[in-house]
Amino acid sequence: YCLGSGLSWEPRSRAVEQVHLRCTEGSLEWMYPARALRVILEPNLSSAWHTTVCIKPASDFQGASIYVEHAGQLHLVVSEAEGAQPHHVSCFSAHTPQRVALFLQASPQRDISRRTASFQYELLSNQSAAGPDFKPMALVEAMCRPCDNVELLMAICSSDFVVKGSIRNVSHDSENHMSQVDVSAQKVYRQKNRIFQQDEASGEWQGPIRTLLQCKVKKGGGDFLFTGNEHFGEAWLGCAPRFKDFMFIYWAAREKGTNPCEFQLN
């Protein structure tokens, strides 16, 4: 995880400061922004092929706008006005996946005190988004359909979180095109960070999972196996079969020796 902060240069210098970040995810904090800053996202992974870049400005993002360089031109990704929007995430396909250049342009103003332009970024592997042109896109290319057996068996091996539980509530946010599924978890098999937490009073595990509004998620009864990945500290829904259906699929694959990984059910 990369973090950059406290950049400065000589007052008379007209050169654009340049920073190299070699992690696939991280954050940068530009305090008292003035003139411009060029940020090179250059992951130190020769085998990686990251095709999507996502940027989430801090809620108090002020003093600059963010552009991405492509074919000698600058494309606006985050304006200063958008920085204050909750859950605002901008994503785009990368022209050169191993090296992405961002350009931060400070807003002209007399008083730069107490202004900070900070953001988080993630470089994602997404072959479906690969292409030669700059193209804005959604954070999660949600399938909005049930996973097939192969996808489900892979999901329990590679997902950031795997949770058995039921749906407590589903709420919709039309402005940000998202839905939130509040899950009451019976068993947390795996989680990358502490999104699912145990209530001290009841001992019950609970956590929110996000998905796109277009998926039209509805509340349903019974137990499910929720899987998915985390982006910017939030859980995003992947495969979510009914638990009894998952059990049938998993044990059938295990008997045939076709399961891609062992999964500890107990």
Side-chain angles (χ1 to χ4, degrees), residues 231-253:
H231 299 289
F232 300 107
E234 297 175 338
W236 284 82
L237 186 64
C239 300
R242 290 193 175 275
F243 190 76
K244 61 180 181 181
D245 295 335
F246 158 72
M247 290 286 289
F248 178 80
I249 294 168
Y250 177 76
W251 285 114

Side-chain angles (χ1 to χ4, degrees), residues 88-157:
H88 181 81
V89 175
S90 298
C91 298
F92 53 90
S93 57
H95 179 59
T96 52
Q98 278 90 9
R99 194 174 189 273
V100 178
L102 303 176
F103 188 83
L104 278 66
Q105 176 68 57
S107 304
Q109 53 211 340
R110 294 181 179 179
D111 181 14
I112 64 171
S113 62
R114 298 184 181 179
R115 289 180 181 269
T116 302
S118 59
F119 64 90
Q120 295 173 276
Y121 74 89
E122 287 190 13
L123 277 68
L124 309 176
S125 299
N126 186 352
Q127 297 300 329
S128 64
D133 300 322
F134 170 85
K135 183 183 73 172
M137 62 190 65
L139 170 63
V140 179
E141 300 291 337
M143 292 181 291
C144 294
R145 62 173 175 81
C147 297
D148 61 29
N149 292 359
V150 174
E151 291 169 333
L152 174 57
L153 292 171
M154 284 303 300
I156 63 172
C157 304

Side-chain angles (χ1 to χ4, degrees), residues 4-190:
S5 176
L7 298 167
S8 62
W9 55 79
E10 293 296 326
R12 294 182 180 180
S13 173
R14 292 182 178 273
V16 175
E17 286 294 312
Q18 190 161 271
V19 178
H20 290 259
L21 298 180
R22 301 190 182 278
C23 303
T24 55
E25 60 180 276
S27 65
L28 183 138
E29 183 179 17
W30 188 19
M31 300 179 66
Y32 316 125
R35 297 186 182 88
L37 177 69
R38 192 166 183 256
V39 180
I40 309 298
L41 305 180
E42 202 170 25
N44 194 21
L45 297 171
S46 59
S47 61
W49 187 258
H50 298 90
T51 60
T52 305
V53 181
C54 292
I55 296 174
K56 182 178 183 180
S59 59
D60 58 351
F61 184 96
Q62 286 184 321
S65 294
I66 304 176
Y67 299 81
V68 60
E69 294 182 9
H70 171 64
Q73 295 184 340
L74 296 178
H75 299 263
L76 181 64
V77 178
V78 178
S79 67
E80 183 175 9
E82 291 174 333
Q85 295 182 10
H87 308 301
H88 181 81
V89 175
S90 298
C91 298
F92 53 90
S93 57
H95 179 59
T96 52
Q98 278 90 9
R99 194 174 189 273
V100 178
L102 303 176
F103 188 83
L104 278 66
Q105 176 68 57
S107 304
Q109 53 211 340
R110 294 181 179 179
D111 181 14
I112 64 171
S113 62
R114 298 184 181 179
R115 289 180 181 269
T116 302
S118 59
F119 64 90
Q120 295 173 276
Y121 74 89
E122 287 190 13
L123 277 68
L124 309 176
S125 299
N126 186 352
Q127 297 300 329
S128 64
D133 300 322
F134 170 85
K135 183 183 73 172
M137 62 190 65
L139 170 63
V140 179
E141 300 291 337
M143 292 181 291
C144 294
R145 62 173 175 81
C147 297
D148 61 29
N149 292 359
V150 174
E151 291 169 333
L152 174 57
L153 292 171
M154 284 303 300
I156 63 172
C157 304
S158 59
S159 293
D160 289 339
F161 64 90
V162 181
V163 175
K164 176 188 178 182
S166 58
I167 300 175
R168 296 173 55 242
N169 185 49
V170 177
S171 56
H172 304 288
D173 181 353
S174 57
E175 183 177 351
N176 291 298
H177 308 288
M178 295 187 302
S179 297
Q180 178 170 303
V181 182
D182 294 319
V183 173
S184 176
Q186 300 174 23
K187 176 72 174 179
V188 178
Y189 295 102
R190 182 193 314 136

